[in-house]
Amino acid sequence: MKSVTVQDLVERFSLEVLAGSHKLNAVIPKGRVHRPGLEFVGYFDFFPHAHVQVLGSKEITYLHTLSEEERNLHIGNIVKYHPPCFVVTRNQEGLKYLKKYCEEEGIPLLRTPLPSSRFIELVDAYLTKALAQEIAVHGVCVNVSGIGILLRGKSGVGKSETAHTLIRRGHRLVADDIVVLKKIGPETILGTHNGKTKEFLALRSIGLINVSRLYGRKAFQDETRIVLDIELTKWQDHALNNELELEPKFTEYMDIRIPHIEIQLQPGRDVAGLVEAAANNWYLRQQGYSAAEDFMKRLQSDD
C-alpha cells in the first residue's frame, strides 16, 4: 500500500496553498474526507482527525458569525489534533484567522473552486484507490463487454494471445504480464497496470505492441472491477467436464472470493470465444438466469 501526501493532493486537484506550505509532505493516512461540524461546538469524542478536513460554505459561514474569542477557541480546539490538512471549497474568502492557526501549527490550508459535494466525491474516490491494499499477480487483465476478467496461466500458455484476439473483437486490455489488484471494498477488487506496462501487450514471435496506437484508444482502459478469474491450462484428455452446470469454484485475493473457471487449450479451440461466453454467462447469472435450470424446466414441461 503506497502512501499519499498533501503534496500529492495539491498536484492532483490543482489546490491553492494558503498556509503551511512547509508541511506539504505530511502523510494522509485515511481514505475518506471529513467535514467538521460537531467539532466546532466542542464535541470531539468521534473526531476522525487523521482524515482530510473539508470546510464548505456552512462551516466557513458559521465561523464568520462567531466572535473573535469564540472563533479562536473553536479553531484552536480542532488544530491541536493536527489533521493532515484543511481544504476550503468554493474559493471562499476571509480566512485570515484560519491562516494564522494553520501557520502556527504547521497544518496546510488549501483552497479549491469546486463545491464541497463534488470535491469530496473526487477526493474520496482518489484516496480509496490510492490507499487501497494491493498485490501484484502474473497474468493479463481484460475488460470483456464491461466485465473485468483476470486471465492466468503458466508462462507461454497463451494469455497475451487470447487477450489480443479479444481486443480485435472490440474488447479492452487493462494490463499485461503484471496485474495490480487493489482491494477497494469488502467485496470489490480493481485490476489495473503498474504504470510501466500501460497499453503494452507482449506477443510471442511479434514482440511488444502498443494496443492504443495499433487499434485505437478504445482498445485500452485504465482499470476494471475483477469479477472472473479464468485460468488457461494445457489440454488434458478426459479432464473436461460436460455437466449441465459445474460446481462453483473460487480464487481468493486479499480475502475476497472471485469466481474461478478453468479453460483448457487445444489447437483450433476458440479460447477467446469461450472467455466471451464465460463473461456473458456470468452476467446472466447476476440477472438471476441459469441456462441449466431453464433447460431442466423445459424437460420437465415435456413430461
Side-chain angles (χ1 to χ4, degrees), residues 6-18:
V6 176
Q7 180 67 47
D8 294 327
L9 207 65
V10 170
E11 294 175 358
R12 178 84 178 190
F13 298 101
S14 302
L15 302 178
E16 180 185 1
V17 181
L18 302 177

Side-chain angles (χ1 to χ4, degrees), residues 234-263:
K234 293 183 179 181
W235 183 272
Q236 296 178 13
D237 290 334
H238 312 299
L240 289 180
N241 298 298
N242 290 310
E243 291 88 346
L244 292 180
E245 191 164 34
L246 299 177
E247 187 71 22
K249 294 182 179 180
F250 299 89
T251 304
E252 194 170 282
Y253 298 103
M254 295 175 286
D255 300 321
I256 296 180
R257 297 203 312 165
I258 303 295
H260 170 81
I261 297 174
E262 179 184 341
I263 295 179

Side-chain angles (χ1 to χ4, degrees), residues 165-290:
T165 302
L166 289 168
I167 292 167
R168 294 189 65 231
R169 292 182 180 182
H171 306 298
R172 296 176 175 180
L173 173 72
V174 176
D176 181 37
D177 190 31
I178 300 297
V179 181
V180 177
L181 302 180
K182 295 190 174 189
K183 181 179 180 179
I184 64 168
E187 297 181 356
T188 304
I189 287 182
L190 281 185
T192 186
H193 51 81
N194 65 1
K196 297 178 182 179
T197 60
K198 180 179 180 179
E199 301 176 318
F200 290 118
L201 184 67
L203 299 174
R204 289 178 182 269
S205 304
I206 303 298
L208 206 61
I209 66 170
N210 184 311
V211 298
S212 295
R213 295 291 184 92
L214 205 58
Y215 298 111
R217 287 179 296 175
K218 63 180 177 56
F220 172 81
Q221 72 180 57
D222 217 40
E223 60 187 26
T224 188
R225 180 187 176 190
I226 301 294
V227 299
L228 274 180
D229 176 77
I230 297 181
E231 183 178 8
L232 304 182
T233 61
K234 293 183 179 181
W235 183 272
Q236 296 178 13
D237 290 334
H238 312 299
L240 289 180
N241 298 298
N242 290 310
E243 291 88 346
L244 292 180
E245 191 164 34
L246 299 177
E247 187 71 22
K249 294 182 179 180
F250 299 89
T251 304
E252 194 170 282
Y253 298 103
M254 295 175 286
D255 300 321
I256 296 180
R257 297 203 312 165
I258 303 295
H260 170 81
I261 297 174
E262 179 184 341
I263 295 179
Q264 292 192 14
L265 308 180
Q266 188 181 53
R269 200 168 195 223
D270 183 9
V271 179
L274 292 174
V275 171
E276 288 177 316
N280 292 328
N281 199 44
W282 176 88
Y283 176 79
L284 288 176
R285 285 177 178 274
Q286 305 313 299
Q287 307 305 307
Y289 176 80
S290 167

Side-chain angles (χ1 to χ4, degrees), residues 4 17 20 28-29 33 40 43 65 76 83 89 124 136 141 149 159-160 183 259-260 288 299-300 302:
V4 176
V17 181
I28 300 173
V33 306
F40 280 134
Y43 188 78
T65 65
T89 59
D124 275 348
C141 183
I149 296 175
K159 301 182 294 296
S160 298
K183 181 179 180 179
H260 170 81
L299 290 180
Q300 292 168 3
D302 291 338

Side-chain angles (χ1 to χ4, degrees), residues 138-153:
H138 178 67
V140 178
C141 183
V142 289
N143 183 283
V144 177
S145 300
I147 296 168
I149 296 175
L150 178 63
L151 293 176
R152 295 187 299 109

Side-chain angles (χ1 to χ4, degrees), residues 42-86:
Y43 188 78
F44 290 91
D45 285 5
F46 301 99
F47 179 36
H49 58 85
H51 296 241
V52 172
Q53 307 295 314
V54 172
L55 303 176
S57 299
K58 292 180 180 178
E59 291 80 15
I60 296 299
T61 300
Y62 171 72
L63 290 175
H64 285 345
T65 65
L66 300 177
S67 67
E68 184 177 352
E69 182 180 355
E70 291 174 323
R71 196 160 53 217
N72 290 340
L73 174 64
H74 294 321
I75 296 173
N77 285 338
I78 289 181
V79 297
K80 70 181 182 182
Y81 285 91
H82 287 90
C85 65
F86 290 99

